[in-house]
Protein backbone atom coordinates (compact mmCIF):
# COMPACT_ATOMS: atom_id res chain seq x y z
CA UNK A 1 0.00 0.00 0.00
CA UNK A 2 3.02 2.27 0.19
CA UNK A 3 2.66 3.34 -3.45
CA UNK A 4 -0.97 4.36 -3.08
CA UNK A 5 -2.00 7.98 -3.26
CA UNK A 6 -3.74 9.08 -0.06
CA UNK A 7 -5.27 12.19 1.41
CA UNK A 8 -2.33 14.38 2.44
CA UNK A 9 -3.36 14.67 6.11
CA UNK A 10 -2.61 11.00 6.80
CA UNK A 11 0.99 10.86 5.57
CA UNK A 12 2.48 11.68 8.99
CA UNK A 13 3.22 8.05 9.90
CA UNK A 14 1.97 4.46 9.78
CA UNK A 15 -0.60 5.00 12.55
CA UNK A 16 -2.30 7.73 10.53
CA UNK A 17 -1.99 5.83 7.24
CA UNK A 18 -3.49 2.71 8.78
CA UNK A 19 -6.39 4.70 10.24
CA UNK A 20 -7.00 6.39 6.87
CA UNK A 21 -6.74 3.17 4.88
CA UNK A 22 -8.87 1.00 7.16
CA UNK A 23 -11.34 3.24 8.98
CA UNK A 24 -11.67 6.91 8.08
CA UNK A 25 -14.64 7.49 5.84
CA UNK A 26 -15.90 3.90 5.95
CA UNK A 27 -19.65 3.99 6.67
CA UNK A 28 -20.33 2.90 10.26
CA UNK A 29 -23.84 1.75 11.12
CA UNK A 30 -23.00 -0.14 14.32
CA UNK A 31 -24.09 1.64 17.51
CA UNK A 32 -21.11 0.39 19.53
CA UNK A 33 -18.65 1.79 16.98
CA UNK A 34 -20.63 5.02 16.62
CA UNK A 35 -20.40 5.52 20.39
CA UNK A 36 -16.66 4.84 20.32
CA UNK A 37 -16.17 7.58 17.73
CA UNK A 38 -18.45 9.91 19.69
CA UNK A 39 -16.26 9.44 22.78
CA UNK A 40 -13.05 9.95 20.83
CA UNK A 41 -14.38 13.03 19.03
CA UNK A 42 -15.56 14.47 22.36
CA UNK A 43 -12.03 14.22 23.73
CA UNK A 44 -10.56 15.52 20.50
CA UNK A 45 -12.32 18.89 20.85
CA UNK A 46 -9.53 21.47 20.90
CA UNK A 47 -6.82 18.88 20.31
CA UNK A 48 -5.39 17.07 17.31
CA UNK A 49 -6.95 13.83 16.12
CA UNK A 50 -3.45 12.34 16.10
CA UNK A 51 -3.20 12.88 19.87
CA UNK A 52 -6.45 10.97 20.38
CA UNK A 53 -5.55 8.23 17.93
CA UNK A 54 -2.29 7.55 19.80
CA UNK A 55 -4.27 7.17 23.03
CA UNK A 56 -7.17 5.21 21.53
CA UNK A 57 -6.32 1.91 23.22
CA UNK A 58 -5.96 3.71 26.55
CA UNK A 59 -9.40 5.27 26.06
CA UNK A 60 -10.82 1.86 25.16
CA UNK A 61 -9.50 0.36 28.39
CA UNK A 62 -10.42 3.36 30.55
CA UNK A 63 -14.01 3.49 29.27
CA UNK A 64 -14.88 -0.21 29.51
CA UNK A 65 -14.29 -0.85 25.80
CA UNK A 66 -16.71 1.99 24.98
CA UNK A 67 -19.64 0.09 26.50
CA UNK A 68 -22.16 2.95 26.73
CA UNK A 69 -24.38 0.99 29.11
CA UNK A 70 -21.52 0.78 31.61
CA UNK A 71 -20.30 4.33 30.97
CA UNK A 72 -23.81 5.68 31.63
CA UNK A 73 -23.60 4.21 35.15
CA UNK A 74 -20.30 5.91 36.06
CA UNK A 75 -20.32 7.92 39.24
CA UNK A 76 -17.84 9.98 41.23
CA UNK A 77 -15.55 6.99 41.90
CA UNK A 78 -15.15 6.26 38.17
CA UNK A 79 -14.68 9.96 37.34
CA UNK A 80 -11.90 10.21 39.94
CA UNK A 81 -10.24 7.07 38.56
CA UNK A 82 -10.38 8.50 35.03
CA UNK A 83 -8.94 11.80 36.27
CA UNK A 84 -5.93 9.85 37.55
CA UNK A 85 -5.42 7.91 34.28
CA UNK A 86 -2.38 9.42 32.55
CA UNK A 87 -3.13 7.34 29.45
CA UNK A 88 -6.13 9.47 28.48
CA UNK A 89 -6.94 13.18 28.31
CA UNK A 90 -7.72 14.05 31.93
CA UNK A 91 -10.34 16.70 31.39
CA UNK A 92 -13.14 16.55 33.94
CA UNK A 93 -15.66 18.31 31.71
CA UNK A 94 -15.03 15.89 28.85
CA UNK A 95 -15.17 12.88 31.17
CA UNK A 96 -18.50 14.01 32.61
CA UNK A 97 -19.75 14.84 29.11
CA UNK A 98 -18.91 11.30 28.00
CA UNK A 99 -21.01 9.91 30.85
CA UNK A 100 -23.98 12.15 30.11
CA UNK A 101 -23.57 11.43 26.38
CA UNK A 102 -23.86 7.71 27.12
CA UNK A 103 -27.18 8.38 28.86
CA UNK A 104 -28.39 10.59 25.98
CA UNK A 105 -27.17 7.95 23.48
CA UNK A 106 -29.44 5.35 25.08
CA UNK A 107 -32.37 7.79 25.11
CA UNK A 108 -31.91 8.24 21.35
CA UNK A 109 -31.84 4.45 20.97
CA UNK A 110 -35.15 4.19 22.81
CA UNK A 111 -36.74 6.81 20.59
CA UNK A 112 -35.35 5.68 17.22
CA UNK A 113 -34.58 2.01 17.74
CA UNK A 114 -30.85 2.68 17.36
CA UNK A 115 -28.47 5.60 17.40
CA UNK A 116 -27.51 4.61 13.87
CA UNK A 117 -31.06 5.12 12.57
CA UNK A 118 -31.14 8.52 14.22
CA UNK A 119 -27.77 9.84 13.03
CA UNK A 120 -27.94 8.35 9.53
CA UNK A 121 -31.46 9.73 9.19
CA UNK A 122 -29.85 13.12 8.59
CA UNK A 123 -28.27 11.81 5.36
CA UNK A 124 -31.04 9.52 4.21
CA UNK A 125 -29.01 6.51 5.33
CA UNK A 126 -26.26 7.01 2.76
CA UNK A 127 -22.92 8.83 2.69
CA UNK A 128 -22.84 12.31 1.20
CA UNK A 129 -20.19 12.57 -1.49
CA UNK A 130 -18.55 15.97 -1.23
CA UNK A 131 -16.44 15.46 -4.36
CA UNK A 132 -13.30 16.85 -2.73
CA UNK A 133 -10.65 17.82 -5.26
CA UNK A 134 -7.96 19.08 -2.86
CA UNK A 135 -7.49 19.28 0.90
CA UNK A 136 -8.39 22.98 0.97
CA UNK A 137 -11.89 22.04 -0.25
CA UNK A 138 -12.62 20.26 3.04
CA UNK A 139 -14.69 22.35 5.42
CA UNK A 140 -14.60 22.23 9.22
CA UNK A 141 -18.39 22.54 9.43
CA UNK A 142 -21.37 22.44 7.10
CA UNK A 143 -25.02 23.48 7.42
CA UNK A 144 -25.79 19.78 8.05
CA UNK A 145 -23.23 19.47 10.86
CA UNK A 146 -24.74 22.67 12.33
CA UNK A 147 -28.19 21.04 12.22
CA UNK A 148 -27.02 17.75 13.75
CA UNK A 149 -25.07 19.59 16.45
CA UNK A 150 -28.12 21.62 17.39
CA UNK A 151 -30.30 18.51 17.56
CA UNK A 152 -27.76 16.56 19.64
CA UNK A 153 -27.47 19.45 22.10
CA UNK A 154 -31.26 19.61 22.33
CA UNK A 155 -31.16 15.92 23.29
CA UNK A 156 -28.65 16.56 26.09
CA UNK A 157 -25.35 15.73 24.36
CA UNK A 158 -22.30 17.78 25.32
CA UNK A 159 -19.07 18.68 23.45
CA UNK A 160 -20.90 18.19 20.16
CA UNK A 161 -20.30 21.50 18.45
CA UNK A 162 -20.53 21.61 14.67
CA UNK A 163 -16.79 21.00 14.17
CA UNK A 164 -16.85 17.90 16.41
CA UNK A 165 -19.98 16.66 14.65
CA UNK A 166 -18.44 17.15 11.22
CA UNK A 167 -15.30 15.27 12.27
CA UNK A 168 -17.59 12.47 13.49
CA UNK A 169 -19.40 12.49 10.14
CA UNK A 170 -16.07 12.17 8.31
CA UNK A 171 -14.75 9.43 10.58
CA UNK A 172 -17.92 7.34 10.35
CA UNK A 173 -18.38 7.75 6.62
CA UNK A 174 -21.50 9.90 6.72
CA UNK A 175 -19.57 12.12 4.32
CA UNK A 176 -16.94 11.10 1.80
CA UNK A 177 -14.17 13.66 2.10
CA UNK A 178 -11.39 11.63 0.48
CA UNK A 179 -9.68 13.79 -2.14
CA UNK A 180 -10.26 12.83 -5.76
CA UNK A 181 -6.78 11.32 -6.23
CA UNK A 182 -6.98 9.18 -3.07
CA UNK A 183 -7.18 5.44 -3.60
CA UNK A 184 -10.03 5.28 -1.03
CA UNK A 185 -12.12 7.82 -2.95
CA UNK A 186 -14.41 5.27 -4.57
Amino acid sequence: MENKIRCAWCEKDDLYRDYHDNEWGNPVYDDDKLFEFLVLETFQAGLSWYTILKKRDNFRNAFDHFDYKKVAQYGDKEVEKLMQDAGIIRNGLKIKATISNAVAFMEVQKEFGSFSKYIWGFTGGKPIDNNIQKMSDIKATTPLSDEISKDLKKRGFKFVGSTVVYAHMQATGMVNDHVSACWKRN
Side-chain angles (χ1 to χ4, degrees):
M1 283 203 247
E2 293 309 311
N3 295 327
K4 293 187 176 186
I5 297 172
R6 295 177 178 88
C7 300
W9 64 263
C10 76
E11 292 296 354
K12 181 176 185 143
D13 66 10
D14 287 340
L15 177 66
Y16 246 13
R17 279 187 288 276
D18 183 63
Y19 172 68
H20 171 273
D21 290 357
N22 296 303
E23 289 188 85
W24 191 75
N26 291 348
V28 175
Y29 295 95
D30 176 73
D31 273 10
D32 293 336
K33 198 67 165 173
L34 287 167
F35 183 73
E36 175 180 348
F37 276 110
L38 184 64
V39 171
L40 297 173
E41 297 295 351
T42 296
F43 278 91
Q44 190 252 334
L47 301 170
S48 77
W49 180 245
Y50 187 75
T51 298
I52 302 305
L53 204 53
K54 286 191 330 190
K55 295 177 177 279
R56 187 179 194 176
D57 287 337
N58 297 336
F59 277 104
R60 182 175 288 112
N61 291 328
F63 285 95
D64 284 303
H65 298 274
F66 302 112
D67 183 335
Y68 50 86
K69 292 174 186 161
K70 288 182 180 177
V71 173
Q73 300 298 316
Y74 285 6
D76 292 341
K77 183 176 125 190
E78 290 83 3
V79 170
E80 185 55 37
K81 182 179 175 192
L82 290 164
M83 287 297 293
Q84 301 304 317
D85 189 336
I88 66 168
I89 306 300
R90 295 179 287 186
N91 179 307
L93 292 175
K94 291 179 180 181
I95 290 168
K96 289 176 181 173
T98 298
I99 297 165
S100 65
N101 286 353
V103 173
F105 189 90
M106 291 191 300
E107 288 301 314
V108 167
Q109 287 178 316
K110 284 181 197 168
E111 183 177 344
F112 291 87
S114 72
F115 186 81
S116 180
K117 283 181 188 170
Y118 160 74
I119 201 76
W120 280 94
F122 287 96
T123 67
K126 296 183 286 194
I128 296 168
D129 188 347
N130 284 325
N131 197 22
I132 302 297
Q133 298 303 308
K134 55 191 182 308
M135 292 301 297
S136 60
D137 292 341
I138 298 175
K139 308 290 185 236
T141 65
T142 64
L144 182 57
S145 67
D146 294 345
E147 178 187 344
I148 296 171
S149 171
K150 185 177 178 182
D151 197 71
L152 286 167
K153 288 176 183 177
K154 183 180 80 178
R155 294 173 183 283
F157 287 84
K158 305 203 177 354
F159 279 91
V160 290
S162 190
T163 302
V164 167
V165 168
Y166 195 70
H168 188 266
M169 293 170 70
Q170 290 173 312
T172 61
M174 291 177 68
V175 294
N176 182 352
D177 277 357
H178 288 283
V179 296
S180 61
C182 178
W183 76 274
K184 288 276 297 199
R185 177 79 188 91
N186 295 315

